[in-house]
Amino acid sequence: DHGARRPHELSGGQRQRVALARSLAARPRILLLDEPLANLDAHLRHAMLAEFRRIHAATGCTMVFVTHDQNEAMAVADTVAVMDHGRLEQIGAPHDLYDRPRTPMVARFVGQGRTLPVEVTERTPDGLCTVRLGAATLALPGDAPPGPGWLCLHARDLTPDAGGLPARIAGVRFEDGYLLADVLLDDLPGGAPLSLRLDRPGAVGEALPVRIRGGWVLPRDGQAVAPMTGGGSAHGAAASGTPTLRQAELAPSAPRR
């Protein structure tokens, strides 16, 4: 029922599907998708991402997917390469970049992560690091020897807890269906704010103790770490491989020419 319609009579998602079908008609071995979702609404972007994954699995065509959206890059690839100023920093599955970043830059870049300065007092053979954060002592997974370290955190690693680290709310926002608070730890008044989900409204300046229930510890000040490291900010993604999506590349943002 759409065969007789002119291009301007089709929706954005329909035009994207037509363009994709025309590109695949020649059965290419490599297909370049340059910002294919840039002008689509959020619900259409999700639908088209699912379509790209389905078509890739069915055809085995290598797809180079260019995007400024980090979430798109993570969604279409099962292996991600992070680049910083043209240097390949870390390669791994999306969840590895979240859970086990190799440098502070990757930790801060992926998923709006945060890093806190800590002192590593011990690292056990099973990979747990004992760290001091202010007056608190925590045992968390990591790859840091005793000495100065970074504690890498995401919002999911924090939760409000009356017995947690003393902190105060610096800002509140509603995002992706959740109330989020930016909090400053009393022991690190000059540190970057940490984000966590709230189960109730909060006010700026309100005391909100937080418990750290996850994270990853890295060495600080140039100490040795495993060779694959990372950093950057989202610019482009390339998804390739056969027969499943294999790789996305994330590089620093830059003006498009």
Side-chain angles (χ1 to χ4, degrees):
D1 59 342
H2 296 87
R5 294 190 182 183
R6 307 294 296 174
H8 69 275
E9 297 174 318
L10 299 174
S11 68
Q14 289 167 346
R15 288 197 295 270
Q16 293 288 52
R17 288 182 174 88
V18 170
L20 185 58
R22 292 178 61 187
S23 300
L24 291 169
R27 298 185 180 276
R29 290 184 296 173
I30 300 177
L31 181 62
L32 172 63
L33 302 170
D34 188 2
E35 299 279 4
L37 309 180
N39 298 316
L40 299 184
D41 294 334
H43 72 284
L44 284 177
R45 286 200 300 270
H46 288 296
M48 288 303 299
L49 283 172
E51 189 75 358
F52 291 142
R53 290 193 295 267
R54 183 191 67 80
I55 292 174
H56 185 278
T59 65
C61 173
T62 295
M63 293 182 177
V64 181
F65 190 103
V66 181
T67 178
H68 283 76
D69 189 317
Q70 182 185 129
N71 290 329
E72 288 179 9
M74 296 292 185
V76 298
D78 60 21
T79 300
V80 178
V82 180
M83 299 184 70
D84 181 26
H85 296 90
R87 184 168 67 110
L88 183 61
E89 299 285 357
Q90 182 173 348
I91 301 175
H95 65 270
D96 286 335
L97 300 184
Y98 270 82
D99 297 337
R100 294 171 174 263
R102 304 311 302 167
T103 70
M105 285 295 289
V106 172
R108 297 167 188 148
F109 163 53
V110 176
Q112 301 180 30
R114 296 289 186 270
T115 56
L116 298 179
V118 295
E119 185 70 20
V120 182
T121 60
E122 181 185 8
R123 185 174 187 269
T124 64
D126 58 355
L128 277 181
C129 295
T130 301
V131 303
R132 287 200 304 266
L133 176 59
T137 299
L138 308 169
L140 296 165
D143 190 18
W150 290 111
L151 174 54
C152 311
L153 297 169
H154 291 95
R156 67 183 185 186
D157 298 320
L158 304 166
T159 186
D161 189 317
L165 301 173
R168 291 192 175 273
I169 297 177
V172 179
R173 64 190 187 278
F174 188 76
E175 187 176 296
D176 293 330
Y178 295 96
L179 275 174
L180 297 178
D182 294 323
V183 301
L184 293 172
L185 297 179
D186 290 359
D187 288 336
L188 295 172
L194 306 175
S195 296
L196 74 160
R197 290 179 179 177
L198 297 177
D199 55 8
R200 59 171 179 79
V204 174
E206 176 186 346
L208 184 70
V210 299
R211 177 169 60 90
I212 297 176
R213 58 183 180 181
W216 181 253
V217 184
L218 288 176
R220 189 157 33 114
D221 298 331
Q223 297 181 69
V225 73
M228 269 300 174
T229 57
S233 56
H235 172 264
S240 66
T242 54
T244 57
L245 293 176
R246 295 296 300 275
Q247 182 170 330
E249 294 181 22
L250 306 181
S253 296
R256 299 292 296 273
R257 291 185 173 88

